[in-house]
Amino acid sequence: MEYDEKLARFRQAHLNPFNKQLGPKQHEQGAGEEAPDVASEEALPQLPPEEPEFHCTERVMDLGLSEDHFSRPVGLFLASDRQQLRQAIEECKQVILALPEHSEKQKDAVVRLIHLRLKLQELKDPNEDEPNIRVLLEHRFYKEKSKSVKQTCDKCNTIIWGLIQTWYTCTGCYYRCHSKCLNLISKPCVRSKVSHQAEYELNICPETGLDSQDYRCAECRAPISLRGVPSEARQCDYTGQYYCSHCHWNDLAIIPARVVHNWDFEPRKVSRCSMRYLALMVSRPVLRLREINPLLFNHVEELVEIRKLRQDILLMKPYFITCKEAMEARLLLQLQDRQHFVENDEMYSVQDLLDAHTGRLGCSLTETHMLFAKHIKLDCERCQAKGFVCELCREGDVLFPFDSHTSVCTDCSAVFHRDCYYDNSTTCPKCARLTLRKQSLFQEPGPDMDA
């Protein structure tokens, strides 16, 4: 009854805005003159004079009771002051706690609380409470401005509603999360691991068992089991460890160990952390195939062709470094996406092996090889002047070390016809002459026998 009386007082005071400043007696006289609805006014209960007429809590509680919730909200919903909205939210919370659980009044109060919070979110200044940059555990989070893109929080595994929620993305490992989940992150940025320890796990799925993990997730340490109680254990094919469903979303990735040992490019299920690490490492040249699996070149023809093209490009590099036209044309920038190709012929990245498997790498390297050879042998006179003449037969055209019918001495870099070099001698004649010359220059005189 007390709630109904307060509700009646609220409606009596607010339905007629001209009666807000009138006392109880004046209200009866004014109502009698206008005679809007005498029966309804007489039905209202008489209030004791010592009781205050209105309370702020009831004002918030009764906000919109007689209105449709799908219509335009009234009262404090139209307030533009954020401080008033926060105060109304706190008062509405107290009312919800005071009301009986699962009652209709409490449900109405919860609905009004939601509307108040949405209104506060609209009036909230993002530059005041939410900074644009947050640094946490080597993550560098930037506030996202996109509101229509549907994303999933990597921490709580729920949808990010960009229209009403603030969310951040790490510029290093692309970790996404709500602003409320930032302080709950316990995993450091994967890019820091890539910068400090850029190497792969080259054992195929090195499983050690759930007992070695104490039956807990390898990342968040949540209890897991293979039966799914309390949480399902999912294995990462890269690390061999088990993770919970929040840390392992069944993402697919190419496993470097399977590529190097089995030439297997089928994607396998990996955890979120492993997926980010493999994505950041995919273009890093950290695989030395000759040491890891030298027999791979005997079974994969594409790798043999690519190794020969890379060796030729390394022989062309000195021509471009000393050629002014080549430097102005920036020919070496043709391989700027694969900078390690102009530094050595041993290191490979997972992306190199994937492109070699699909055939894209062989085609692109062949085109680059032809462009470089055309500049040296046809377009540039300076580079043509740096050719060689076979020192064994002294015949034929000018030779270059990257020609397919030549042989190059590993000591003095002299160039010969391949047939002449292997037919006449297994040693370089130029190196032999240089050795004899050094011996004649530094040979000490023999002892004087007459003395």
Side-chain angles (χ1 to χ4, degrees):
M1 292 298 296
E2 181 181 357
Y3 178 83
D4 296 335
E5 293 175 2
K6 294 178 180 179
L7 176 59
R9 291 199 307 270
F10 179 84
R11 291 177 175 174
Q12 179 182 0
H14 286 79
L15 289 179
N16 190 357
F18 299 99
N19 295 335
K20 289 185 179 180
Q21 305 298 331
L22 299 178
K25 297 181 180 180
Q26 295 175 351
H27 178 73
E28 293 178 1
Q29 297 175 359
E33 294 176 358
E34 297 178 3
D37 190 357
V38 180
S40 61
E41 291 183 2
E42 292 178 355
L44 294 175
Q46 298 295 328
L47 301 178
E50 67 276 1
E51 185 177 352
E53 188 173 1
F54 300 107
H55 295 281
C56 185
T57 303
E58 281 72 17
R59 185 187 298 256
V60 178
M61 183 61 205
D62 298 327
L63 185 60
L65 272 177
S66 60
E67 300 291 336
D68 184 5
H69 289 294
F70 293 96
S71 63
R72 181 178 178 85
V74 296
L76 287 178
F77 288 114
L78 301 178
S80 59
D81 190 0
R82 286 173 290 160
Q83 186 175 1
Q84 294 179 2
L85 283 173
R86 293 192 184 98
Q87 182 181 359
I89 289 174
E90 294 299 327
E91 293 173 351
C92 194
K93 288 181 181 178
Q94 296 176 3
V95 172
I96 292 174
L97 295 176
L99 290 172
E101 293 186 1
H102 307 294
S103 62
E104 294 296 331
K105 299 176 183 179
Q106 190 185 48
K107 292 179 181 179
D108 294 338
V110 171
V111 172
R112 288 192 294 277
L113 178 62
I114 295 174
H115 285 296
L116 287 171
R117 285 181 170 176
L118 291 176
K119 182 64 177 178
L120 179 62
Q121 184 70 27
E122 294 176 359
L123 298 179
K124 194 174 183 180
D125 186 5
N127 296 324
E128 179 180 351
D129 298 328
E130 299 291 346
N132 292 327
I133 302 175
R134 295 283 299 273
V135 179
L136 182 67
L137 294 177
E138 300 187 10
H139 291 278
R140 189 171 181 85
F141 288 104
Y142 275 79
K143 186 194 299 184
E144 290 289 347
K145 298 181 180 180
S146 176
K147 302 298 183 182
S148 60
V149 180
K150 184 178 179 181
Q151 302 290 349
T152 304
C153 179
D154 288 322
K155 179 59 183 177
C156 63
N157 198 13
T158 57
I159 298 176
I160 299 175
W161 300 101
L163 290 174
I164 59 176
Q165 292 178 325
T166 305
W167 57 292
Y168 289 82
T169 301
C170 177
T171 58
C173 61
Y174 305 104
Y175 190 98
R176 301 183 182 91
C177 68
H178 299 99
S179 59
K180 64 180 180 180
C181 298
L182 281 179
N183 296 328
L184 303 177
I185 296 174
S186 59
K187 195 71 175 177
C189 183
V190 179
R191 183 171 288 276
S192 61
K193 182 181 177 181
V194 173
S195 303
H196 301 146
Q197 188 181 3
E199 59 182 9
Y200 285 118
E201 172 62 56
L202 295 180
N203 295 319
I204 298 177
C205 194
E207 180 183 2
T208 56
L210 271 175
D211 57 340
S212 63
Q213 301 178 202
D214 196 19
Y215 294 91
R216 294 182 179 273
C217 174
E219 183 173 347
C220 68
R221 306 305 297 169
I224 55 175
S225 85
L226 294 177
R227 296 182 179 179
V229 180
S231 180
E232 179 187 2
R234 299 179 180 179
Q235 187 180 28
C236 174
D237 195 83
Y238 174 69
T239 62
Q241 295 178 322
Y242 290 89
Y243 299 82
C244 65
S245 58
H246 289 282
C247 302
H248 194 310
W249 296 4
N250 291 328
D251 297 304
L252 300 177
I254 297 175
I255 309 302
R258 296 183 181 274
V259 173
V260 172
H261 295 292
N262 300 335
W263 201 244
D264 180 11
F265 292 89
E266 182 180 355
R268 300 302 206 285
K269 294 180 180 180
V270 296
S271 64
R272 296 290 293 176
C273 183
S274 299
M275 185 198 67
R276 294 191 192 93
Y277 183 78
L278 294 175
L280 294 175
M281 286 283 293
V282 67
S283 299
R284 285 183 172 261
V286 296
L287 297 174
R288 195 182 297 270
L289 291 184
R290 291 183 181 178
E291 296 180 1
I292 300 173
N293 187 10
L295 297 179
L296 192 62
F297 292 91
N298 298 335
H299 300 277
V300 182
E301 298 180 358
E302 296 88 348
L303 290 180
V304 178
E305 180 183 358
I306 290 172
R307 182 177 59 180
K308 179 62 172 64
L309 292 173
R310 292 184 62 176
Q311 292 173 351
D312 291 347
I313 290 174
L314 290 177
L315 294 174
M316 296 176 183
K317 181 180 176 180
Y319 288 87
F320 298 144
I321 294 177
T322 57
C323 178
K324 182 179 179 181
E325 296 181 2
M327 295 298 291
E328 292 178 353
R330 298 183 179 183
L331 291 179
L332 288 177
L333 290 181
Q334 298 289 331
L335 296 172
Q336 60 181 348
D337 294 336
R338 308 180 195 269
Q339 186 65 30
H340 53 285
F341 279 15
V342 296
E343 296 175 357
N344 57 73
D345 62 337
E346 298 180 354
M347 307 302 295
Y348 291 84
S349 66
V350 174
Q351 188 65 47
D352 296 336
L353 301 181
L354 178 61
D355 292 341
H357 176 68
T358 57
R360 292 194 299 265
L361 181 58
C363 296
S364 62
L365 271 186
T366 302
E367 295 178 359
T368 304
H369 185 277
M370 294 176 60
L371 178 64
F372 288 176
K374 180 175 179 294
H375 171 83
I376 296 174
K377 302 176 69 173
L378 299 177
D379 298 341
C380 181
E381 296 181 356
R382 293 187 180 90
C383 294
Q384 293 178 19
K386 297 175 184 177
F388 293 84
V389 176
C390 180
E391 298 193 17
L392 294 173
C393 66
R394 303 285 181 175
E395 297 177 356
D397 299 333
V398 178
L399 302 180
F400 292 92
F402 50 85
D403 289 335
S404 58
H405 59 283
T406 60
S407 296
V408 181
C409 178
T410 56
D411 296 329
C412 64
S413 300
V415 182
F416 310 94
H417 289 112
R418 179 173 298 178
D419 297 336
C420 298
Y421 186 70
Y422 287 103
D423 289 345
N424 292 274
S425 174
T426 57
T427 60
C428 174
K430 187 175 181 180
C431 291
R433 289 196 300 270
L434 291 175
T435 303
L436 292 175
R437 185 178 301 175
K438 291 180 181 179
Q439 291 178 356
S440 62
L441 290 176
F442 297 99
Q443 186 177 9
E444 299 180 358
D448 191 0
M449 299 301 295
D450 296 335

